Amino acid sequence: MDKRQITNYVNLAALVSYILGRILHSNFLIAFGLTIMAGLSIWTIIHWKENDKMSNYISVAFLVLVGLSLFGLL
């Protein structure tokens, strides 16, 4: 399996965890999803040149989502 596919699947799992946490009002799932999204997004941005363009843009979008969630705007 390609490394890009693994990051996409982990991003998808983190997003599903975050959405389920919001629906079920589970702070653990929300925190878990945000932590995975933030960590993987930072890793992707550090390795910007190695990834395809779409993965980089998704990582930036996830960091914006994490930031908005941490400030309570979402």
Side-chain angles (χ1 to χ4, degrees):
M1 182 178 282
D2 191 17
K3 185 171 44 171
R4 288 176 292 185
Q5 288 180 342
I6 292 172
T7 57
N8 290 339
Y9 289 135
V10 172
N11 275 332
L12 179 65
L15 184 62
V16 167
S17 171
Y18 174 76
I19 291 171
L20 282 176
R22 296 289 286 191
I23 291 171
L24 300 174
H25 303 291
S26 172
N27 289 333
F28 175 74
L29 286 175
I30 293 171
F32 181 73
L34 288 177
T35 304
I36 298 298
M37 277 191 266
L40 194 61
S41 295
I42 290 170
W43 181 85
T44 302
I45 290 174
I46 289 172
H47 300 286
W48 186 271
K49 299 251 183 209
E50 298 172 12
N51 300 321
D52 59 339
K53 194 181 288 188
M54 187 56 80
S55 291
N56 293 337
Y57 293 147
I58 290 171
S59 294
V60 171
F62 278 163
L63 278 179
V64 169
L65 176 70
V66 168
L68 289 175
S69 293
L70 290 179
F71 289 120
L73 299 174
L74 223 161

